[in-house]
């Protein structure tokens, strides 16, 4: 009887262990999916537009003031492209350049007001889209 009880206990502990491990894997996967795909490209553009409107930033005027060069880079880590914009003052690449990174729920165009500050100070500016925003077609943020 003792041997049989031991075998049953081992089986019960094994099954419970598998259930616990399965639950942890499932919870981990759900946390990953919920935190890595927080905003879509559409909501990024919407967030950017709302932000620019809230601070009365005229994007058309910005476009008319600066020559913006669009750059598309292939990611060295995964099979996706990274879009960026490079604003060079007076066609002079030989000056300090500031790299601007947007926040979650926006895209590179949401950094235009900050770019203007640095451009007014004489810096060139590079802005890029982080994963899953704007023109960056990576799957997760």
């Amino acid at each position: 009887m003792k041997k049989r009880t031991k075998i049953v206990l081992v089986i019960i502990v094994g099954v419970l262990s598998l259930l616990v491990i399965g639950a942890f894997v499932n919870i981990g996967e759900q946390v990953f999916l919920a935190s890595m795909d927080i905003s879509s490209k559409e909501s990024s553009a919407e967030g950017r537009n709302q932000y620019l409107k809230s601070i009365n930033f005229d994007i058309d005027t910005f476009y008319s003031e600066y020559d913006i060069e669009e750059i598309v880079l292939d990611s060295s880590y995964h099979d996706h492209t990274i879009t960026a914009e490079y604003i060079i003052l007076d066609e002079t690449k030989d000056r300090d350049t500031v790299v601007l990174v947007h926040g979650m729920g926006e895209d590179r165009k949401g950094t235009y007001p900050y770019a203007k500050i640095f451009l007014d100070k004489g810096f060139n500016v590079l802005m890029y889209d982080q994963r899953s925003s704007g023109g960056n077609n990576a799957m997760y943020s």
Side-chain angles (χ1 to χ4, degrees):
M1 198 66 145
K2 274 186 161 182
K3 193 173 184 179
R4 181 179 252 167
T5 305
K6 254 186 180 178
I7 292 172
V8 169
L9 277 174
V10 167
I11 291 172
I12 290 172
V13 168
V15 169
L16 286 175
S17 296
L18 288 175
L19 288 173
V20 168
I21 290 170
F24 283 137
V25 168
N26 184 39
I27 290 169
E29 185 175 275
Q30 295 303 316
V31 168
F32 170 81
L33 291 173
S35 63
M36 288 301 177
D37 199 18
I38 293 173
S39 62
S40 66
K41 289 183 183 189
E42 295 78 20
S43 66
S44 292
E46 185 179 315
R48 177 233 316 144
N49 289 336
Q50 287 176 357
Y51 167 65
L52 294 177
K53 185 177 180 180
S54 74
I55 63 168
N56 296 319
F57 186 85
D58 185 3
I59 202 165
D60 294 325
T61 301
F62 185 78
Y63 286 143
S64 68
E65 289 177 354
Y66 300 103
D67 184 28
I68 302 172
E69 176 185 350
E70 185 166 312
I71 302 168
V72 179
L73 306 167
D74 291 325
S75 172
S76 59
Y77 291 106
H78 299 288
D79 187 26
H80 69 277
T81 57
I82 302 165
T83 53
E85 292 176 338
Y86 193 25
I87 304 175
I88 303 165
L89 292 175
D90 306 322
E91 299 179 17
T92 306
K93 288 187 178 182
D94 188 25
R95 72 173 70 228
D96 291 336
T97 299
V98 174
V99 178
L100 295 177
V101 181
H102 63 82
M104 288 295 272
E106 288 188 11
D107 59 16
R108 70 182 183 272
K109 296 177 182 185
T111 64
Y112 284 172
Y114 306 104
K116 178 128 179 68
I117 293 168
F118 288 106
L119 291 162
D120 290 345
K121 297 288 184 188
F123 293 93
N124 290 336
V125 177
L126 176 71
M127 304 152 287
Y128 70 95
D129 282 324
Q130 295 192 71
R131 299 173 60 87
S132 189
S133 64
N136 188 323
N137 56 7
M139 187 168 181
Y140 298 113
S141 301

